[in-house]
Amino acid sequence: SVTLFFDPDDFRTEVADALSDATGRQVEIAGPLELSVFPWLAVQTGGITMSDATAFGPAPMLSLDNASAAVKMAPLFSGKVEVGNVSVVGLDLNLQVRSDGLTNWDDIVETAGADTDVTPTIESDATSEPLELSIESIKLIDANITYRDGSSGSEYALTNVNVSIGNINPATPTDIDGSLEFRVLPDALSGAASVRTSMSLQDDGGVTLEDLRLDGDINTPTFTDAQSFSWRAQQVHVNTTANTLDINSSAFAFANIEGTLSVMGSGPSDPVSLRGAISVAEFDLNALLTATGSEPLVTADPQALARIRFDAEHALTFESMTLQNVRLVVDDTTLSGSAGIANFASGAVVFDLAGDRIDIDRYLAPADPNAAASTSPDAEVAIPVDMLDGLTAAGQITFEELVTASLPLTDVSVGINVADKRARLHPIKASVLGGQYSGDIRVDTRGAAPTLSVNETVSAIQLGSVASTLFERDNIDGVLNANFKLAGAGVAFGEIARTLAGDVEFSIADAALVGTDIWSDIRRGRALFKRETPPPAPANPRTEFTKMTGTLTVADGIASGDDFFAALPFLQLTGRGRINLATAGLDYKLDARVLEVPDFLDSVSAEELAEYTEAVIPLQVEGSMLAPDISPDVEGWIKNKAKSRLDQELGRLLGGDEEADEEEDLEDQLKRRLLDKLRGN
């Protein structure tokens, strides 16, 4: 034996020096260097350390407990290389990047590059057969690898790494079995993973992995418990020469999510261009949020978001990801179309989705039972400030039917653009309650308080349907056309309503107030004022309007207008007033001008008929927009009418005055005329 004539350990220092020269680092071999020759040429050593770069401190960059390798001697003479077991035990590798970008391996790369100008050559017979290589096994045992990035403060650690690669031979599959634990700081992400597969070398230069099995668990401080994950692939084919990747079918699972994934295209190197399909089985979103430590979404319908599934075809590059033939099912709603990330750097989301039917009310926050009954149910709904921060999105979404606040909208189309903490919904179109809606809604969250502005138009809206559908009332009817240009600020819609400013125009045709009969109210008020027996109330009180128009100026949530006009059979209403947009409260003062006495009045005295002739009757309108309370000011009407007659009579007694100023007060006219009489004029 060769070892009878010399001790391999005598060359330990020379080997360490050679390694030091090759790496430019101080390499030490503390353990014995052992060598055997027959039947195996084997070497084994231990206690190897390699110093770190000077700028990174005294701790070694690399150390290992022991390493060994063996080559069978006899096959070498027939052109075969049969490597036995290669093992590395206790490897500890520390990789570092300073904040200035310097790495602790830069100098090793430079040293290796400096030697590339001397390239050794081996003379060989061109007709000789290539060497046949086989390796019985390669094992990495109890390794630890750490990567620290000083520029970001991140640290990635792989610990307890154990990898076994057996029977490496081009003619037969190679089994691979490995496990490790991982840790990511400062995110405090940790877990463990294991992999098992069979690898084969293909004639096209590619590598095929059969029956790939990846299992593990992952944990973060937010998770309630560590969550398991798995990936199963029947076959994965990688060809680095042709730059292709092919995963025919695979199955994945994480927490309560399960699905399948296929990938094909170019992928192992730049440029990446992958395509395939992904499918996610039905899962409960709130269960996933709870498991991963996030707060579940509290919705009006506690069963909402419990049934979600997803299918799509995907395309992936280094710059973008696109999903085509999307089919997203959320409870009873199905969305289809396309979506994706147009640019990973900016995070810009793009989409074009079409849905069948969705009930938005199900997904809103539940109503507060302690809230005042007069408060609008959406008054405390907050502007989604956090959601808009950092979000960039552009696209369109449509629904065949959308229900919100129990109001059914059909043929809904919404354009969405979000960027720089601003959102714009435009154009918005929908058919609603027999008419049409179009709008332009903008939200700006860049300031101290979010701002909301709207430019909305409704046409041919059936007010009767609005009242019955939204408020379960049947006391109003008509066809509404209106335009709203309003803006306000606040964190919730109730606060915004109190700060609204802008303009409103409206017109209502063929309107009617059910439960209110203005003529009956006028007659009853007159009778009560005169202490007469009031006429009986109509069995079905109703006031019809052929036309109603007005404009409003809005400031601090109060809409004011002085051009209200309404035309009724035999009456004409004009006046001014205010509407509190936050509470829908009314305060209007109107004048009802009698155009002619209705022919439907019966049992009317001549005196009463005379009082209606050319009368102007003040009306006070209070209450809410949905239940207005119209009260005739009969006393003011009678007094004004009596005063008018008195003025006429006094004028007749005192004689006409052609020179009288029309603007002159009646009292001043009387005084002047009396003085003229006394003076004998």
Side-chain angles (χ1 to χ4, degrees):
S1 174
V2 175
T3 55
L4 294 176
F5 299 99
F6 74 98
D7 185 356
D9 199 44
D10 294 339
F11 296 90
R12 184 171 27 148
T13 302
E14 285 80 353
V15 173
D17 291 342
L19 291 173
S20 297
D21 293 339
T23 61
R25 299 288 181 84
Q26 182 64 40
V27 177
E28 296 181 358
I29 303 176
L33 185 63
E34 300 179 1
L35 178 68
S36 63
V37 177
F38 194 83
W40 295 90
L41 177 60
V43 62
Q44 178 175 334
T45 188
I48 300 176
T49 60
M50 183 176 71
S51 65
D52 210 337
T54 305
F56 291 87
M61 175 181 176
L62 179 148
S63 66
L64 56 86
D65 293 341
N66 65 73
S68 63
V71 179
K72 204 167 187 178
M73 289 292 293
L76 290 175
F77 299 102
S78 60
K80 296 180 181 180
V81 179
E82 295 183 10
V83 180
N85 296 321
V86 178
S87 68
V88 177
V89 180
L91 171 67
D92 196 343
L93 176 62
N94 296 294
L95 304 175
Q96 299 185 59
V97 180
R98 292 198 323 187
S99 58
D100 59 3
L102 180 68
T103 73
N104 66 341
W105 62 86
D106 283 341
D107 58 327
I108 296 178
V109 175
E110 291 174 1
T111 301
D115 295 335
T116 57
D117 58 336
V118 181
T119 304
T121 59
I122 300 176
E123 298 291 338
S124 62
D125 185 351
T127 61
S128 63
E129 294 292 329
L131 292 176
E132 295 182 14
L133 174 66
S134 66
I135 303 174
E136 186 173 331
S137 70
I138 298 176
K139 293 184 179 181
L140 181 64
I141 302 171
D142 294 336
N144 299 291
I145 303 171
T146 304
Y147 174 87
R148 297 181 179 88
D149 188 342
S151 61
S152 64
S154 301
E155 178 179 318
Y156 304 88
L158 303 179
T159 59
N160 296 323
V161 180
N162 291 276
V163 179
S164 175
I165 304 174
N167 190 24
I168 302 175
N169 189 321
T172 59
T174 300
D175 292 332
I176 300 175
D177 196 348
S179 64
L180 57 82
E181 297 174 2
F182 59 88
R183 182 182 70 253
V184 178
L185 298 175
D187 300 327
L189 179 71
S190 63
S194 65
V195 63
R196 179 175 297 176
T197 188
S198 177
M199 180 181 70
S200 300
L201 301 179
Q202 303 299 315
D203 294 338
D204 62 1
V207 175
T208 299
L209 304 179
E210 301 279 356
D211 192 22
L212 176 62
R213 304 169 66 88
L214 176 65
D215 297 279
D217 58 68
I218 188 171
N219 204 357
T220 73
T222 61
F223 285 9
T224 53
D225 295 296
Q227 299 299 312
S228 62
F229 63 86
S230 67
W231 183 38
R232 302 282 186 271
Q234 296 177 0
Q235 186 180 85
V236 177
H237 183 72
V238 180
N239 189 317
T240 56
T241 302
N243 189 31
T244 60
L245 171 67
D246 188 355
I247 305 175
N248 287 330
S249 64
S250 67
F252 62 86
F254 172 72
N256 67 327
I257 294 181
E258 296 180 353
T260 60
L261 173 70
S262 65
V263 179
M264 63 182 300
S266 63
S269 63
D270 187 18
V272 168
S273 180
L274 303 175
R275 62 188 184 278
I278 183 171
S279 177
V280 178
E282 185 175 291
F283 68 97
D284 185 326
L285 178 60
N286 276 337
L288 175 63
L289 293 174
T290 301
T292 54
S294 299
E295 289 293 328
L297 301 175
V298 181
T299 54
D301 180 359
Q303 301 302 317
L305 304 173
R307 296 179 290 114
I308 299 177
R309 61 182 185 272
F310 175 76
D311 299 278
E313 296 174 359
H314 65 81
L316 176 68
T317 70
F318 271 134
E319 292 78 26
S320 64
M321 179 185 70
T322 302
L323 299 175
Q324 298 288 345
N325 296 322
V326 171
R327 186 173 184 270
L328 172 63
V329 179
V330 181
D331 300 322
D332 300 318
T333 301
T334 299
L335 285 163
S336 58
S338 63
I341 300 176
N343 185 282
F344 287 131
S346 65
V349 177
V350 293
F351 56 91
D352 187 356
L353 298 171
D356 48 10
R357 183 184 187 278
I358 186 169
D359 185 350
I360 296 294
D361 295 346
R362 296 182 62 187
Y363 304 99
L364 298 178
D368 183 358
N370 299 318
S374 61
T375 301
S376 173
D378 61 353
E380 299 309 317
V381 175
I383 296 293
V385 176
D386 293 339
M387 185 182 74
L388 297 182
D389 190 9
L391 176 63
T392 301
Q396 173 180 276
I397 187 167
T398 64
F399 285 99
E400 295 175 11
E401 183 178 2
L402 183 149
V403 177
T404 177
S406 300
L407 178 67
L409 291 85
T410 58
D411 300 325
V412 180
S413 175
V414 183
I416 301 174
N417 280 276
V418 181
D420 190 27
K421 298 184 179 181
R422 292 176 292 178
R424 184 183 186 188
L425 307 182
H426 174 77
I428 312 174
K429 296 181 179 180
S431 298
V432 54
L433 301 176
Q436 299 294 319
Y437 165 87
S438 63
D440 184 352
I441 301 175
R442 306 187 189 205
V443 177
D444 190 338
T445 65
R446 293 175 298 173
T451 60
L452 171 70
S453 62
V454 300
N455 184 353
E456 300 174 301
T457 299
V458 294
S459 58
I461 301 297
Q462 302 297 318
L463 287 178
S465 299
V466 174
S468 62
T469 302
L470 294 182
F471 307 102
E472 298 181 351
R473 294 178 178 270
D474 57 0
N475 63 333
I476 192 169
D477 205 351
V479 179
L480 171 66
N481 295 280
N483 176 249
F484 308 86
K485 295 181 180 178
L486 301 170
V491 297
F493 287 102
E495 183 179 351
I496 291 172
R498 293 188 291 272
T499 64
L500 282 176
D503 299 291
V504 177
E505 298 179 9
F506 68 89
S507 67
I508 304 174
D510 302 324
L513 288 177
V514 179
T516 298
D517 189 318
I518 291 180
W519 269 114
S520 176
D521 291 343
I522 291 173
R523 294 190 65 198
R524 290 176 61 81
R526 175 196 169 280
L528 292 173
F529 178 76
K530 294 200 167 188
R531 299 183 180 180
E532 299 175 356
T533 301
N540 299 300
R542 177 184 175 92
T543 299
E544 295 185 351
F545 300 82
T546 57
K547 181 180 181 181
M548 189 182 299
T549 64
T551 61
L552 299 166
T553 299
V554 183
D556 297 327
I558 304 297
S560 304
D562 59 4
D563 62 350
F564 178 85
F565 173 84
L568 296 74
F570 315 106
L571 282 177
Q572 178 177 289
L573 301 181
T574 58
R576 64 180 60 207
R578 295 155 37 107
I579 303 174
N580 188 319
L581 297 181
T583 63
L586 290 172
D587 182 10
Y588 259 79
K589 297 184 184 303
L590 304 178
D591 287 332
R593 186 176 299 276
V594 179
L595 303 179
E596 59 180 306
V597 179
D599 54 14
F600 54 75
L601 296 181
D602 54 4
S603 303
V604 181
S605 66
E607 179 186 359
E608 183 178 355
L609 284 174
E611 289 177 345
Y612 293 141
T613 303
E614 297 182 359
V616 177
I617 305 169
L619 299 177
Q620 179 68 36
V621 183
E622 297 176 324
S624 71
M625 296 176 65
L626 292 172
D629 181 12
I630 303 176
S631 303
D633 183 3
V634 177
E635 181 178 0
W637 162 42
I638 298 298
K639 287 181 177 180
N640 287 340
K641 194 169 185 66
K643 185 174 182 297
S644 177
R645 289 179 179 176
L646 177 61
D647 291 345
Q648 293 174 5
E649 185 63 24
L650 287 173
R652 186 184 64 79
L653 293 174
L654 295 174
D657 186 355
E658 296 180 357
E659 299 179 357
D661 188 348
E662 293 181 359
E663 299 296 328
E664 187 176 10
D665 184 81
L666 176 62
E667 183 179 353
D668 292 336
Q669 290 185 41
L670 291 174
K671 289 179 179 179
R672 180 170 55 78
R673 291 175 183 176
L674 285 172
L675 287 173
D676 289 343
K677 291 288 185 183
L678 292 174
R679 293 171 180 164
N681 297 331

